[in-house]
């Protein structure tokens, strides 16, 4: 099994609080602070070995990420199958998933996971290929949300959409050429929101399988929002619609 690096203070403490099996902690020499002390206390309780490195060695481990003086390692997070994800959400009324169609920037994946956690999205579906997965960068950008949001990996996103439709999910794609905005749709039903890649959007076959296409109106000079910002707007529109009448 591949080893996963958890980089940064917030992701490491979230991993401990989520009960994940941390194998080892690497600390920068001289690092201190309340969060670090909390992590060390967790490591002591869990009998996790801690090793001190100089900052250059820790940065080499972290690669391009800001390590904030700490890196933890564990076995790679196990992804669910689509059937497992659907079964996990089946007890919820009108569950909602996000499908990532070719999103390659780990920071966008992490930000989407963070928005999904905050808005109560029931799971995120990621293709095994041509897409950023649960990398250290994605986990760090998620601020720990990657440890709380169920993630399924699929070999073929189009077939995954067909499977979701067989379970009575409605598929909503994001497309700047769409005629409708998300607040013109009734989102109080089982949903799968498809978010296309940063440059090209959804692939043609995935787009054709959508039941509805929506866009966010752009009133300024730029053509579109970042995909993670778009995801957050859509997720919270679901929250807004579903909370009406229950306030």
């Amino acid at each position: 099994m591949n080893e996963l690096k958890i980089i940064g203070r917030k992701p490491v403490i979230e991993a401990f609080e989520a009960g994940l099996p941390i194998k080892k902690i690497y600390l920068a020499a001289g690092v201190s602070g309340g969060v670090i002390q909390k992590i060390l206390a967790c490591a002591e309780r869990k009998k996790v070995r801690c090793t001190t490195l100089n900052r250059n060695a820790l940065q080499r481990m972290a690669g391009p990420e800001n390590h904030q003086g700490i890196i933890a390692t564990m076995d790679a997070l196990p992804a669910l199958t689509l059937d497992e994800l659907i079964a996990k959400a089946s007890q919820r009324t009108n569950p909602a998933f996000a499908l990532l169609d070719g999103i390659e920037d780990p920071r966008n994946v992490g930000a989407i996971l963070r928005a999904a956690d905050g808005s109560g999205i029931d799971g995120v579906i990621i293709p095994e290929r041509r897409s950023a997965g649960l990398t250290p960068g994605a986990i760090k950008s998620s601020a720990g949300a990657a440890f709380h949001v169920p993630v399924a990996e699929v070999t073929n996103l189009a077939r995954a959409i067909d499977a979701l439709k067989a379970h009575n999910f409605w598929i909503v794609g994001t497309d700047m050429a769409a005629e409708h905005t998300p607040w013109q749709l009734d989102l109080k039903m089982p949903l799968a929101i498809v978010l296309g890649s940063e440059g090209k959007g959804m692939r043609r076959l995935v787009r054709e399988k959508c039941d509805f296409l929506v866009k966010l109106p752009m009133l300024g000079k730029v053509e579109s929002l970042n995909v993670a910002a778009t995801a957050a707007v859509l997720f919270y529109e679901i929250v807004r619609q579903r909370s009406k009448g229950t306030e």
Side-chain angles (χ1 to χ4, degrees):
M1 182 176 290
N2 294 330
E3 186 176 72
L4 176 67
K5 295 175 185 175
I6 305 169
I7 302 171
R9 301 183 185 195
K10 177 69 171 174
V12 172
I13 194 64
E14 287 283 350
F16 270 116
E17 291 178 350
L20 297 178
I22 302 298
K23 294 165 59 177
K24 195 168 182 180
I25 297 288
Y26 296 89
L27 295 162
V31 70
S32 61
V35 176
I36 294 295
Q37 293 306 312
K38 187 175 181 181
I39 290 171
L40 291 176
C42 290
E44 184 176 1
R45 287 196 302 272
K46 299 287 187 179
K47 295 181 170 49
V48 176
R49 181 183 170 192
C50 297
T51 298
T52 300
L53 301 175
N54 66 53
R55 287 188 174 271
N56 288 337
L58 201 65
Q59 191 60 65
R60 284 195 294 273
M61 283 187 66
E65 303 298 327
N66 177 11
H67 56 69
Q68 299 177 314
I70 189 164
I71 296 174
T73 61
M74 60 174 283
D75 289 332
L77 286 170
L80 301 174
T81 66
L82 182 61
D83 287 342
E84 289 171 335
L85 184 65
I86 293 171
K88 189 177 181 69
S90 63
Q91 297 180 355
R92 294 282 300 272
T93 301
N94 296 329
F97 297 140
L99 285 73
L100 311 190
D101 184 17
I103 296 176
E104 298 178 345
D105 189 334
R107 292 168 297 183
N108 282 333
V109 173
I112 290 169
L113 288 169
R114 189 172 185 176
D117 180 61
S119 59
I121 295 295
D122 295 282
V124 175
I125 299 167
I126 301 176
E128 291 178 354
R129 295 180 296 172
R130 301 194 187 98
S131 179
L134 292 178
T135 64
I139 290 171
K140 188 170 189 299
S141 296
S142 79
F147 305 132
H148 305 294
V149 178
V151 174
E153 289 187 351
V154 297
T155 55
N156 186 295
L157 202 62
R159 285 202 294 268
I161 289 174
D162 289 337
L164 288 168
K165 287 186 174 185
H167 284 85
N168 300 315
F169 280 79
W170 293 85
I171 314 301
V172 179
T174 52
D175 191 318
M176 287 305 298
E179 296 182 2
H180 299 291
T181 63
W183 36 92
Q184 291 174 314
L185 293 184
D186 180 0
L187 302 179
K188 300 185 292 293
M189 53 188 175
L191 286 176
I193 303 292
V194 185
L195 300 159
S197 67
E198 292 88 348
K200 300 178 182 178
M202 293 182 296
R203 289 169 295 161
R204 178 187 58 80
L205 181 57
V206 170
R207 186 182 189 278
E208 290 174 353
K209 287 183 176 290
C210 292
D211 298 302
F212 305 101
L213 296 174
V214 296
K215 66 178 180 181
L216 298 181
M218 301 300 296
L219 307 181
K221 302 299 182 183
V222 298
E223 293 183 356
S224 64
L225 295 180
N226 169 277
V227 64
T230 298
V233 173
L234 290 170
F235 296 167
Y236 277 96
E237 174 60 13
I238 295 172
V239 173
R240 185 193 70 81
Q241 287 196 22
R242 294 181 179 186
S243 64
K244 289 181 69 175
T246 63
E247 299 172 350

